[in-house]
Amino acid sequence: AQSVTQLDSQVPVFEEAPVELRCNYSSSVSVYLFWYVQYPNQGLQLLLKYLSGSTLVKGINGFEAEFNKSQTSFHLRKPSVHISDTAEYFCAVSDGGTASKLTFGTGTRLQVTL
Amino acid sequence: DTGVSQNPRHKITKRGQNVTFRCDPISEHNRLYWYRQTLGQGPEFLTYFQNEAQLEKSRLLSDRFSAERPKGSFSTLEIQRTEQGDSAMYLCASSLGGSSNSPLHFGNGTRLTVT
């Protein structure tokens, strides 16, 4: 069984400041890791994914994440946030099996203010 | 590519009524997933199809829930005898193939409110 923990339910940050959203996972097998963003009243949009290879993954909108196997983490970072980054961010894990279904964390609300 | 389309966007129904939601996936995608998202939570897997075959169902999918994908294209999710606990956002996603190399594309969801 897999699980995802997002410890921070809300992260307030000022515009142009850096931000890190934390994600830890638990799995007994090799995993694929994902970050999705959800704007109000919309579905989820893929930000980035880690499948294999380089542990530093770059995604859309200037976000990046680093896979750390020893710490079972996949934290999301952005060096300078914008007001438009205000949204809910979900970390997800897949065991890569035939179903390719995702197990999501509870989400982190990123609130960017001036 | 017009994305994953879900209808209706919102549904308000009285307890005990039946409701049906529709999902139109991206046209070349052979896999279709249904998830449920309650307030303050991440999406939870309900079921998925490869073409017209329903290959897995979560234990969250009680016998009041049924999903179909009759021709391997659009899918419907029906909830019979709705309960207040069924109030949630129902998300549909599609992907191409069975590998995690093919990310899930989500629709905007159907928000169900059971009064």
Side-chain angles (χ1 to χ4, degrees):
Chain A
Q2 307 159 97
S3 66
V4 176
T5 301
Q6 294 182 248
L7 290 172
D8 306 306
S9 59
Q10 293 188 64
V11 173
V13 64
F14 290 112
E15 192 176 37
E16 297 183 4
V19 70
E20 178 180 84
L21 306 184
R22 297 182 293 168
C23 172
N24 288 86
Y25 69 92
S26 172
S27 177
S28 58
V29 298
S30 296
V31 296
Y32 301 134
L33 294 158
F34 305 80
W35 275 99
Y36 281 83
V37 60
Q38 186 176 34
Y39 299 100
N41 297 315
Q42 292 189 24
L44 283 75
Q45 180 182 4
L46 180 66
L47 273 179
L48 49 79
K49 59 184 178 182
Y50 171 78
L51 303 179
S52 65
S54 173
T55 57
L56 183 63
V57 179
K58 294 190 182 297
I60 63 171
N61 300 343
F63 284 94
E64 64 181 31
E66 186 159 16
F67 171 59
N68 188 318
K69 188 175 182 179
S70 63
Q71 297 186 6
T72 61
S73 68
F74 190 55
H75 300 330
L76 181 71
R77 301 186 184 102
K78 186 170 182 177
S80 176
V81 296
H82 190 268
I83 289 283
S84 60
D85 293 323
T86 295
E88 192 85 18
Y89 291 79
F90 292 95
C91 182
V93 62
S94 167
D95 64 4
T98 53
S100 296
K101 64 181 187 284
L102 300 173
T103 300
F104 286 88
T106 52
T108 297
R109 168 78 176 167
L110 176 63
Q111 181 69 51
V112 182
T113 56
L114 294 172
Chain B
D1 177 0
T2 57
V4 177
S5 177
Q6 291 189 247
N7 288 288
R9 288 297 308 275
H10 304 275
K11 179 71 177 178
I12 300 174
T13 191
K14 293 185 177 179
R15 184 164 51 95
Q17 297 295 304
N18 299 344
V19 294
T20 300
F21 311 139
R22 176 179 170 126
C23 171
D24 288 88
I26 294 172
S27 58
E28 64 268 26
H29 285 185
N30 60 344
R31 291 207 160 195
L32 187 147
Y33 302 78
W34 284 99
Y35 283 78
R36 182 176 70 185
Q37 184 179 20
T38 53
L39 203 60
Q41 299 296 317
E44 297 172 294
F45 170 79
L46 292 178
T47 187
Y48 93 99
F49 293 83
Q50 178 158 311
N51 300 315
E52 67 277 9
Q54 187 174 18
L55 297 185
E56 187 172 341
K57 292 193 290 186
S58 162
R59 59 182 171 81
L60 293 175
L61 213 65
S62 77
D63 56 5
R64 296 185 297 105
F65 288 69
S66 62
E68 294 182 343
R69 196 184 182 196
K71 298 181 179 178
S73 56
F74 73 92
S75 175
T76 57
L77 177 68
E78 182 183 17
I79 309 174
Q80 295 182 329
R81 305 181 303 282
T82 53
E83 302 173 356
Q84 288 187 323
D86 297 330
S87 295
M89 174 79 87
Y90 290 84
L91 294 166
C92 177
S94 69
S95 70
L96 181 63
S99 165
S100 287
N101 280 317
S102 174
L104 271 60
H105 296 257
F106 283 85
N108 287 334
T110 293
R111 182 170 294 284
L112 173 66
T113 302
V114 182
T115 61

